[in-house]
Amino acid sequence: MRLFLIRHGRQSSPLCNVDVELSKEGVQQAELLATRLSNLVPDRIYTSSLLRAKQTAGIIFGSNTEFLVREELNEISFGELTGRSDEENAADYGDYFAAKKRKEENLRIPGGENPAQVYARAVKVVEEAVASEVETVVFVTHGGVIRTLVAGLTGLGEGRMLRIADGLEHSSLTELKYSKTAGCFSLERLNDCAHLEGRPELLREAWVK
């Protein structure tokens, strides 16, 4: 089974983990990925229940496509950081961000989740997909979920998710392959955003300063 993990397009608000629609740049990112994946016909498409993920899936695969919505694929809970600006959070939660820079294992967000908790819920959807015995599965989900799944499914350990890239590009593509013989996943590609080449305004650095 091939498992494609797609990060949603850029959201319309810079505030932390608010449930909002895509920005115009996020729509463009999803449209570019749709063109790139025009020949991909998944057997199953899962999305988180958050608007930005469902909207991204609709742009890429068509609004009339059946999507399996799973709250287990929602972004990591940011707890006390939710709905606040990066500047506010940096000022009030310096110890947390310092620990994040040290890539501490299984770091819990203040008032929110740690990677082990995210993995415990998200891996249930992976197990559902594997049990279906289909060939091609897509998850349209979030950066924290993708990084946690990659760390856990490849044996690095979900608590070490901070070692899986410093950040994933919006609309990026990550691919895992499940071997039924070996009973495990291998990482085929990570944070692939070739469809954004030549569009610097659509890259993460243009949004996160």
Side-chain angles (χ1 to χ4, degrees):
M1 182 186 80
R2 298 172 72 193
L3 174 59
F4 294 93
L5 306 174
I6 296 173
R7 189 183 182 199
H8 61 83
R10 186 184 301 171
Q11 66 187 44
S12 59
S13 170
L15 301 181
C16 180
N17 201 33
V18 288
D19 190 11
V20 295
E21 63 185 9
L22 298 178
S23 65
K24 62 182 180 63
E25 293 85 2
V27 171
Q28 291 172 349
Q29 291 164 336
E31 289 173 342
L32 289 169
L33 185 57
T35 299
R36 185 178 178 193
L37 297 182
S38 60
N39 293 324
L40 180 69
V41 183
D43 297 297
R44 288 190 174 197
I45 302 170
Y46 293 86
T47 79
S48 88
S49 69
L50 299 181
L51 180 58
R52 58 192 184 272
K54 293 189 289 186
Q55 188 178 359
T56 299
I59 293 171
I60 296 172
F61 297 106
S63 58
N64 293 326
T65 303
E66 180 183 1
F67 303 122
L68 302 172
V69 179
R70 298 289 185 269
E71 290 185 358
E72 291 88 347
L73 296 179
N74 286 5
E75 179 61 297
I76 187 170
S77 170
F78 281 84
E80 297 168 14
L81 281 62
T82 302
R84 292 159 50 96
S85 70
D86 290 345
E87 292 77 15
E88 289 175 318
N89 285 331
D92 292 343
Y93 298 98
D95 290 346
Y96 163 74
F97 286 102
K100 187 176 179 181
K101 286 183 179 179
R102 295 193 298 269
K103 300 186 184 296
E104 287 191 6
E105 187 168 344
N106 210 31
L107 180 64
R108 182 188 297 275
I109 297 174
E113 290 180 299
N114 61 33
Q117 291 172 312
V118 177
Y119 183 79
R121 57 176 167 86
V123 76
K124 293 177 182 177
V125 189
V126 176
E127 292 167 350
E128 177 186 337
V130 170
S132 72
E133 297 190 341
V134 297
E135 292 297 322
T136 306
V137 175
V138 171
F139 287 3
V140 183
T141 181
H142 308 267
V145 175
I146 293 171
R147 295 165 73 194
T148 303
L149 284 176
V150 169
L153 293 175
T154 59
L156 179 64
E158 61 272 17
R160 296 175 176 172
M161 64 89 74
L162 292 176
R163 301 188 187 188
I164 305 298
D166 282 335
L168 301 180
E169 292 289 343
H170 290 101
S171 78
S172 64
L173 187 64
T174 294
E175 181 183 356
L176 294 162
K177 186 175 182 180
Y178 179 73
S179 168
K180 191 172 183 179
T181 301
C184 65
F185 282 89
S186 59
L187 179 63
E188 303 297 315
R189 51 180 157 169
L190 175 72
N191 198 27
D192 180 352
C193 55
H195 50 286
L196 302 181
E197 289 183 0
R199 299 292 302 273
E201 76 280 8
L202 298 182
L203 295 177
R204 185 176 172 83
E205 63 184 17
W207 191 54
V208 179
K209 300 298 184 182

